[in-house]
Amino acid sequence: MPTYVSLLNWTDQGVRGYKDTSQRSEAFAAAAQKLGVKILNLYWTVGPYDIVAVVEAPDDETATAVLLQVSGLGNVRSTTLRAFGQEEMDRIIAKATG
């Protein structure tokens, strides 16, 4: 399955409710699972982003749907990157070099 790295920032609402962040992460994982998305890792970070999520989803549309659900709750905003593993990158290079 494709892998995605989501860089999340708390909104004002999200940071006010920081004490609930663990419970919100569990709700995120449950909602993601219902759509076939697996949370591989979730990290609370220091720096320009508050949370980093690494997820696997069947496709871009499903990954986007999960992120819309979580962002729609008003606690976070996201920037998401499609990530490629070594085997995927080897296939991409093979296509590029003919």
Side-chain angles (χ1 to χ4, degrees):
M1 272 201 291
T3 303
Y4 302 85
V5 177
S6 291
L7 308 171
L8 305 165
N9 280 316
W10 281 331
T11 61
D12 289 342
Q13 172 183 309
V15 77
R16 280 193 306 272
Y18 73 91
K19 292 179 183 178
D20 298 329
T21 190
S22 290
Q23 291 85 356
R24 291 194 311 247
S25 71
E26 291 170 8
F28 170 56
Q33 185 176 18
K34 287 181 183 178
L35 290 177
V37 175
K38 182 178 179 184
I39 309 301
L40 299 178
N41 288 297
L42 189 69
Y43 302 101
W44 286 263
T45 57
V46 176
Y49 298 99
D50 299 310
I51 302 168
V52 175
V54 181
V55 305
E56 284 184 340
D59 50 52
D60 292 346
E61 292 84 1
T62 305
T64 302
V66 167
L67 290 164
L68 282 172
Q69 281 184 345
V70 73
S71 294
L73 298 173
N75 295 308
V76 294
R77 289 191 178 88
S78 67
T79 300
T80 300
L81 311 164
R82 169 65 165 92
F84 299 93
Q86 183 176 350
E87 288 181 17
E88 291 172 300
M89 195 62 207
D90 289 342
R91 288 193 304 271
I92 292 168
I93 292 168
K95 286 182 182 184
T97 57

